[in-house]
Each structure stands twice: as C-alpha cells, then as structure tokens.
Amino acid sequence: GYGNINYWDAQSRTSREWLQEARLRFRHIAWLNPKPRASWARTRGSYTIREIGRMVPMFDMSLEGVSSAIDRLRSVRGAA
C-alpha cells in the first residue's frame, strides 16, 4: 500500500514522508489518536503509534486529550 490504507491505491510517498511534510508545512501540529492512551503500548498498531508519537505530540481523542492538545498548541504558539 506504500503510504495508503488501501493496498491497491499505492502512493508515491510513505505515510512517514507525508507526516514529515506536514511537520515542515505547519509550524504547530498535534496528533489525536482515537484509541485510549492506556492502550497505546499494547494495542494493534502500537509500533506505528510509537513512531508517530516520536514525530509529533500525540494525545488521545477524549475531552481531556483534546483539551491537552489545544493547550499544547497554544503554549507553542505563544512561545514562537
């Protein structure tokens, strides 16, 4: 699938490359993970979750997680 969820729709770049492009294009970025934070280390896709978390700040998609992501983006923006 090279950069795409659908195996038959190959992309010219990997998902990692797309995420790196987003980091370059946008000064402030956060990733909202729909899985609960407590499951990240032991869920299917935990390797991918770790890799994304190394590239961008990651938060779970709960009210607390979204609030934390917004706080993070605000604090980064204020520091710039």
Side-chain angles (χ1 to χ4, degrees):
Y2 205 73
N4 196 315
I5 292 172
N6 184 349
Y7 181 81
W8 301 109
D9 291 332
Q11 298 290 314
S12 61
R13 299 163 77 184
T14 65
S15 297
R16 177 185 297 268
E17 290 170 327
W18 284 114
L19 189 53
Q20 288 171 337
E21 176 71 23
R23 286 178 54 214
L24 293 172
R25 187 171 296 225
F26 300 102
R27 289 180 41 206
H28 311 300
I29 187 170
W31 185 278
L32 293 174
N33 187 330
K35 295 188 180 216
R37 180 179 290 274
S39 72
W40 291 358
R42 57 179 167 68
T43 189
R44 184 171 187 224
S46 61
Y47 173 81
T48 301
I49 291 169
R50 277 192 310 276
E51 290 300 304
I52 292 170
R54 287 183 178 123
M55 297 178 74
V56 298
M58 184 181 293
F59 304 88
D60 60 335
M61 200 179 297
S62 64
L63 289 176
E64 182 180 341
V66 171
S67 179
S68 294
I70 291 169
D71 289 345
R72 162 84 172 151
L73 293 172
R74 283 183 177 154
S75 70
V76 171
R77 185 183 68 203

